[in-house]
Amino acid sequence: LHGTGITLMAKEMAAWGFPELILVDEQVTPDGDFPTTPSPNPEVREALQLGIKKLQETQADILIATDPDADRVGVAVMHKGEVQILTGNQIACICLQHICDALARKGKMPAKAAFIKSIVTTELFKAICEAYGKTCFNVLTGFKYIAEKILEWENETDGYNYIFGGEESYGYLFGTFTRDKDAIVAGALIAEAALHAKLREKSLVDMLYEIYRRHGVYSEGLLSVDFDETKAGKEQMKQQMVMIRQTPPKQINGVDVVVIEDYQTSIKTFLKASTTEKLTLPKSDVLLFWLADDSKVMIRPSGTEPKIKLYCGVVRKTFVSVPEAIKSCQEKVEKLLDCAVKIIKPVIAP
């Protein structure tokens, strides 16, 4: 997307066995004005429109789009004649499944293999790790925390062996070459996963559905509640977080809150047992609510903008049809986000 990815992606793809790429000519030239898109962000559908057009015209299998500094990557898939854009969480789980399957089949999975995700990333990531008997570590949002764990383990005599990490915001790292999210190696990994799927006459969407059938359908959502870009607005945002901590919700969308993780106080509270335990991650202004149906809702003020970000995730373990389960989960996500907004809106409404 008008950035540095063009200097490395083609070389990396060729090294992984994909020498022939179809380029989106209008977007391969580095240009800080980003003339073909309102935002060069691979999370934004508009940024992928030219690529999707090329995907449809050429009937290629996948579109891979790197952001201007080539640390994040977006993916669209041609599936049964239709284009489907993958979310950041879905890309993370497809890559993770591909890696784990390959290492396990070849007998090369390290005994102390470890995988890392941010606390806002899908819990499906953890489920895949546990299915292979491996540990999934949670860290705060930001790849510096993943890099911190890598360094920590390298300095231990019997530390864990970092394999793969990811965030829902389209950032991934396979191996330890860059120590930051890396769209180049992630793009090659995605292409390889797509090839392995195609050799079975399947797409990456089919692969995702296989993951869902094995572990359950997981769906996530993100919404932001904006405050005025003034000193008063920022203070209002801070006060809202204080009030939520003082009177936390007992239910969200009619489902009981069973656990509250407060990363500012580093306390995890089990409501039914009235017990607590200490959280070991660094202090951060984040509240995480776990519900009785294994849903989660997270409230986190932005560190750079006057807004509170709301994340949620749901899971459905039993179903007949994957598409039907996906639809019902997405509907539940929307209801959870609506309820989470109402936790905030009564205070900020005029």
Side-chain angles (χ1 to χ4, degrees), residues 122-184:
T122 178
E123 297 303 311
L124 178 56
F125 191 102
K126 180 181 178 182
I128 295 170
C129 293
E130 291 178 343
Y132 285 89
K134 298 305 172 184
T135 305
C136 172
F137 289 83
N138 278 310
V139 295
L140 296 177
T141 301
F143 245 80
K144 65 180 181 181
Y145 295 110
I146 293 180
E148 183 179 65
K149 296 300 290 185
I150 294 172
L151 184 61
E152 174 189 322
W153 294 333
E154 287 178 341
N155 288 329
E156 294 174 352
T157 54
D158 189 29
Y160 282 95
N161 190 332
Y162 171 84
I163 304 297
F164 178 74
E167 292 187 323
E168 51 80 37
S169 53
Y170 297 72
Y172 318 100
L173 175 62
F174 175 50
T176 61
F177 181 71
T178 58
R179 307 301 171 99
D180 200 349
K181 50 186 178 288
D182 181 359
I184 305 302

Side-chain angles (χ1 to χ4, degrees), residues 16 29 32 48 51 55 63 116 130-131 143 186 198 201 282 291 293 312-313 325 336:
W16 279 55
T29 304
L48 305 181
L55 184 65
L63 164 69
I116 306 176
E130 291 178 343
F143 245 80
K198 189 166 187 176
E201 298 185 347
L291 309 188
D293 62 357
C312 79
L336 272 179

